[in-house]
Every structure is written in structure tokens, then in C-alpha cells.
Amino acid sequence: MSSKKNLASVLKTLVVTSSLTVASFSFASTLTVSSPQDPGSWDPIDTFLVNWASVATNIYDGLTYRGPDLKLQPGLATSWEQLDDGTRIRFTLRQGVKFHNGEAFNAASVKYTFDRLMGDEGKKGPQRSNYSAIDSVEVIDDNTVDFHLKAADPVLLTKLAGYGAMIVPPKYIQEKGEDFFNTHPVGTGPFKFASYEPKVGIKLEAYTNHWGGAPKLTNLNYRFISEPSTAVAELQSGRVDLVIPPTIPIGMITTIEKDPNLKIVTTISPTVYALRFNTQNGITKDEKVRKALIYGVDRQAIIDSILGGQAAQIASFQSAISFGDDPTMKPLPYDPKKAMQLLKEAGIKPGTKIQIDIRGNDATFNEVSQAVASYLQMVGLNATIQPYETNVLLNDIIPAGKTGEMFQQSWGGWTLDYDNTAYFMYHTGEKWNPYDSDLALDKQLESQRSITDRAKREEILKSIANYTANRALEMPLYSLNAIFGISKRVKNFTPVPDSRLRLTDVTVE
């Protein structure tokens, strides 16, 4: 009898174990996301790319967090207090938080993060000037830090919610080294790093000890698919569950909407597109020529015919939801006669060549640039398009001042504040301003950064928008909606304007 009871007990145990295993697999879920670009490094101070943020928002936390509703809320700081006329901010830190490697989050890790950002390592990346108001970070105790500012920064709390301000683990970086950290990121976010294959993808898994609660997904995989048609085909086949902006070509929206298993989800976005001018060399050195090129292109027709109503024309390099946008500004109208008159006055001969540099994998903008080239042909110019691999254009061509007369610039404006765009685009010496130096403009850009009077600061930002438009530093094109292609198996997905997706609550059926 005893042996029979033992056998029954063993069988019962096996059945229970088996059912638990089945249950655990039934609850396990994986979301696969198509992203158009591999940022090349997962270190927060190495990048400005939206495609970095769409992944890394799940790996890292900042002191503050801005959700899909665009409202600022506590992150790794539970509260903050602005002191000394805005030149000191005291943060009370969340307790009991650990990095993915088990290292404790505390005031020392906050200080390390910003000392590193503002130090020699930060010099190598594009993020430091975004946080230039920070003079030092002082540890008050394990759970309290003071940010001492050179001057008040009215946008700093928002900046602390993203990119370079993401909190990193001191011991891990010091032990493993900077190069290792670039490809093996560790943060405190809801998902932890599992593996990374450059140019192919990155895999994350749920961090069940996250202070905000465990994610509902078990695995979160990103595939880097630069070709839009391939990304859409993978979505249709079910090998991808979500395609994030700016991948979906406008022309494929109808195809996706007709698929019973898929849907398109859109939301307003701060993302803007322009063709910026080489103001140092070639015919676009002449302001009169730059204005002629703007007059010569029917941007509204491009929006209507190519973008299917998913965009709005802009007068300055910002969207309507950007703080600093001036709604009274009007884009230069389409006036080909005016364009030809200005070109003649500038001594530009018919047939003069002009080169437009673009990101080769952006199918929609490829169509836009073809249309722009056609319009310029009609006013007598020989416009050619030079496509580049995205990372080459962004890292090698534009910053080095090696572009043609015009080059594609798309910008997320993720702080929803014109400073985040204007300072990087127009201030002398910035990475995205390889050609122009305007001391009067520099003074305006610098002056608004320390003004806490919201109305006064908005007035200066509007003035900057008008000033740069008058100088025709770019051909403003449009602000584009954030367009997501998604499988109907995906639930609880909320599109965000800035593509900084935190996928904690998403499930896959």
C-alpha cells in the first residue's frame, strides 16, 4: 500500500508541476517591434535618436517621467523642490530601487550619472549641451540630491525625463568599461537587457522587481528593419507585432487597414521635417536663393498628394504643439514666378545643379524629395537626390559639413519646447549646425534658457522662429503624425506623440 501511495503522490506531483508549467507558458508573452534604425550604442549620453528612446525608455528611468498624456510625473525622484530662485533643485529619491545587475540606486548614482554626462565622456556625445545649466550635483544623503544650476532652466525637469538624463549604474560601468556598457546596457527600467546583435536587433526581458510593478509582457524584442516594405510585410506575416514611426509609408496605410488582423493607430506628433540649407557654400549661401527655393515648392500639394492628410504645413521648424510656435506666422506661399525672379536677381543660371541629401531608408520622404526636386526643375534648377544610409548621413555627412546644398532634417522635439530644436539647429558650433554662425541669434538662444517667466520666454522663442524664417535657414515642410502599424493581437497599447514607448501594460493575445 505504501508503495502505491507513494506512486500516487509522485503522479499527483507531476500533474501539478505539469499544469503549473503549462500555466506559466500560457501567461508568457512576447512583443516583437520593428524599428527602422540601430542607434549603435545604448549609452544614454551617446544619442539623440528617437529610435534609441523607443527602446531605451523601457531599459532606463529618469528622475522624472513624461507619459503618453505628456504630463510630467515622478520617476526615480518621488518629489522635487525648486529653491534659490530656480538655481537649485532638491530631489527626494525613490527608496529600495535596484539596477538590473542588483546594484543599489541612490544619490551617488545620480551624481555619477550627471558628473559623467557633464564630464569628458559626455563631451563625446550630443547630449551635454541639453543639460548645460547644471553646474554640479550634491549628495545630501542617500535619498536626497541637490542640483546646483548656473542659471534657472525652465525646461530642465522635462529634460530629466529622457535621453542623456537616464540614470546609469556607477559600479557596473566602472567595472565593465564604457565600450561594454554601450552594447550591454543596465538601467532600472521595467525591462532588462537580454541580448544585442548589431544591425539585427535587441532583446529585452521583464524586470519583475521594477519599482512600478512587473511588466505584463515576458519578452520585448526589437528588430532593426530599415526597409519599410519589409517591415510591413513582416507585420502582415505576424512575425512583427508593431511597426513604429517613421517606418510606415503613407501609401501603405490603406493596405494595412484592409488587413483584418491589423490596424493603423495615429496621434499628433512634435516631429517635423525640413530641408535645411548649406548657408556656407554653393548657391544656397545667398539668402535670396534660399527664399527662391522655398517659393518654388508647393508644400501643401505635397502634403495633400503624398502624405494623405497625415501632416500639417509648418512656418518654422516646430509643430503646433511646441512651446514657442507662433500661430500668426505663415509659410512663404507657393509662387514659382517669384522664385524665378529671385533666382535671376541672384545671377543663378538655368540648369544650375543643386543636390538634396536624404536618408535612403525613409520611403515617404524619398517621395517628398522627388516632388521637391520636380518643383525645383520647374523653376529652372537641375535638382538631384543623394540618398545615404541613415547613420552615415547623421554621423558623418551633416556634422562634418559635407552635404549638398540641401539636406533632410527630421526632428522629434521631444521636450515639446522650441529650445530643444532651435538651440541644436542654430547655435554656433552645435553638431546639427555645421554651416551657420549668427551671433545675434546665439544671444537670443542663450537668453531664453534662463528665463523662468513663461510669457517672456515664449515671446523670445517666437522671435527666434520669425528670425530664422526670415533668414530662410531651412525649407520648413510639415509636421507629421506619429503612425503606428499594429497587430490586433496587441492589447493596451497607447500611442505616444514622441515615440518614447513604455510598454509595461501591453499584452499580446
Side-chain angles (χ1 to χ4, degrees):
M1 292 290 291
S2 176
S3 62
K4 288 182 179 180
K5 285 183 178 179
N6 287 341
L7 179 59
S9 177
V10 169
L11 290 171
K12 185 177 181 181
T13 301
L14 287 172
V15 170
V16 171
T17 303
S18 175
S19 65
L20 287 174
T21 302
V22 171
S24 67
F25 277 113
S26 67
F27 284 111
S29 59
T30 298
L31 179 75
T32 302
V33 182
S34 171
S35 177
Q37 185 181 8
D38 179 358
S41 170
W42 298 105
D43 186 334
I45 65 177
D46 284 348
T47 189
F48 62 93
L49 295 171
V50 170
N51 296 131
W52 179 91
S54 64
V55 177
T57 299
N58 295 288
I59 300 173
Y60 298 103
D61 291 309
L63 294 176
T64 60
Y65 172 68
R66 192 180 72 193
D69 62 359
L70 304 181
K71 294 180 181 178
L72 208 60
Q73 55 188 277
L76 288 175
T78 56
S79 62
W80 49 86
E81 182 183 9
Q82 299 200 43
L83 306 165
D84 302 338
D85 297 322
T87 60
R88 179 164 62 99
I89 308 176
R90 172 161 292 185
F91 292 93
T92 301
L93 305 180
R94 197 175 295 278
Q95 299 184 37
V97 176
K98 291 187 180 297
F99 289 96
H100 301 151
N101 65 330
E103 187 176 331
F105 161 76
N106 52 32
S109 52
V110 176
K111 178 173 173 56
Y112 174 83
T113 294
F114 288 94
D115 285 352
R116 180 173 176 266
L117 172 63
M118 305 311 292
D120 290 339
E121 191 62 29
K123 285 181 183 178
K124 302 174 186 177
Q127 281 293 334
R128 195 170 71 155
S129 62
N130 222 359
Y131 304 89
S132 59
I134 300 172
D135 186 45
S136 64
V137 175
E138 178 187 5
V139 173
I140 304 303
D141 57 44
D142 272 358
N143 306 309
T144 313
V145 293
D146 278 4
F147 276 53
H148 296 275
L149 309 183
K150 299 169 188 173
D153 182 345
V155 196
L156 183 60
L157 289 172
T158 298
K159 294 174 185 175
L160 295 179
Y163 295 92
M166 298 291 93
I167 306 300
V168 299
K171 292 179 182 177
Y172 179 81
I173 296 175
Q174 290 165 350
E175 290 173 2
K176 300 291 186 179
E178 299 288 349
D179 291 341
F180 188 84
F181 181 58
N182 288 347
T183 55
H184 298 76
V186 166
T188 63
F191 289 88
K192 60 183 179 180
F193 170 79
S195 66
Y196 169 54
E197 187 176 351
K199 308 291 186 183
V200 176
I202 184 170
K203 295 183 178 181
L204 312 179
E205 57 187 40
Y207 180 49
T208 56
N209 294 322
H210 186 252
W211 54 267
K216 293 180 171 61
L217 292 167
T218 305
N219 301 290
L220 176 56
N221 299 336
Y222 289 81
R223 293 174 56 193
F224 305 129
I225 305 175
S226 60
E227 178 55 48
S229 60
T230 303
V232 172
E234 291 296 274
L235 180 66
Q236 291 173 311
S237 70
R239 290 187 288 268
V240 159
D241 304 302
L242 174 64
V243 178
I244 62 175
T247 304
I248 302 290
I250 300 295
M252 298 193 78
I253 289 178
T254 302
T255 301
I256 293 172
E257 289 178 327
K258 287 180 178 179
D259 190 315
N261 300 314
L262 307 176
K263 62 181 178 179
I264 289 288
V265 179
T266 67
T267 186
I268 57 170
S269 168
T271 300
V272 285
Y273 287 76
L275 284 169
R276 303 197 68 212
F277 293 119
N278 180 338
T279 60
Q280 196 172 81
N281 307 298
I283 66 171
T284 47
K285 184 177 181 179
D286 188 333
E287 180 181 310
K288 187 175 288 188
V289 171
R290 299 197 298 268
K291 287 184 176 178
L293 299 181
I294 299 173
Y295 277 118
V297 175
D298 191 341
R299 282 93 68 208
Q300 189 60 52
I302 289 174
I303 291 169
D304 295 337
S305 62
I306 298 176
L307 303 178
Q310 293 287 348
Q313 194 173 174
I314 53 176
S316 61
F317 198 34
Q318 59 183 322
S319 74
I321 60 173
S322 167
F323 181 74
D325 179 64
D326 185 350
T328 67
M329 282 183 67
K330 302 300 178 187
L332 288 182
Y334 174 52
D335 189 340
K337 290 183 179 179
K338 179 76 171 177
M340 288 186 281
Q341 175 192 332
L342 290 174
L343 290 171
K344 185 177 181 180
E345 289 175 5
I348 306 301
K349 296 179 180 179
T352 297
K353 291 184 178 180
I354 185 168
Q355 180 176 304
I356 304 171
D357 295 348
I358 66 168
R359 303 182 188 187
N361 69 330
D362 189 335
T364 299
F365 198 83
N366 195 300
E367 288 187 59
V368 170
S369 60
Q370 293 285 353
V372 169
S374 296
Y375 279 115
L376 295 182
Q377 299 273 9
M378 287 190 285
V379 296
L381 297 173
N382 181 10
T384 59
I385 296 170
Q386 175 61 56
Y388 288 96
E389 195 273 326
T390 298
N391 284 344
V392 172
L393 179 64
L394 297 181
N395 296 322
D396 301 332
I397 303 300
I398 296 175
K402 296 179 179 178
T403 73
E405 287 79 6
M406 303 171 76
F407 57 96
Q408 176 187 353
Q409 187 80 64
S410 52
W411 195 254
W414 76 276
T415 61
L416 306 184
D417 189 294
Y418 186 44
D419 167 79
N420 182 250
T421 302
Y423 199 93
F424 287 115
M425 295 298 125
Y426 310 126
H427 194 278
T428 301
E430 284 296 318
K431 178 178 181 178
W432 305 114
N433 180 26
Y435 300 119
D436 205 62
S437 180
D438 185 329
L439 296 182
L441 181 53
D442 286 349
K443 287 180 181 179
Q444 285 192 79
L445 290 164
E446 291 160 7
S447 69
Q448 55 81 32
R449 283 198 145 187
S450 60
I451 294 174
T452 54
D453 184 320
R454 185 175 173 86
K456 186 175 180 181
R457 186 168 167 271
E458 184 177 28
E459 187 178 316
I460 296 174
L461 289 174
K462 287 181 177 180
S463 174
I464 292 170
N466 280 273
Y467 184 89
T468 55
N470 287 337
R471 284 201 57 211
L473 296 181
E474 65 264 316
M475 180 189 293
L477 294 172
Y478 50 82
S479 61
L480 185 66
N481 289 345
I483 304 169
F484 300 85
I486 188 168
S487 166
K488 291 181 180 178
R489 299 189 307 122
V490 178
K491 306 298 180 184
N492 301 320
F493 172 76
T494 302
V496 293
D498 56 10
S499 292
R500 294 172 63 248
L501 295 166
R502 177 157 281 206
L503 299 166
T504 313
D505 296 325
V506 168
T507 59
V508 179
E509 291 183 349

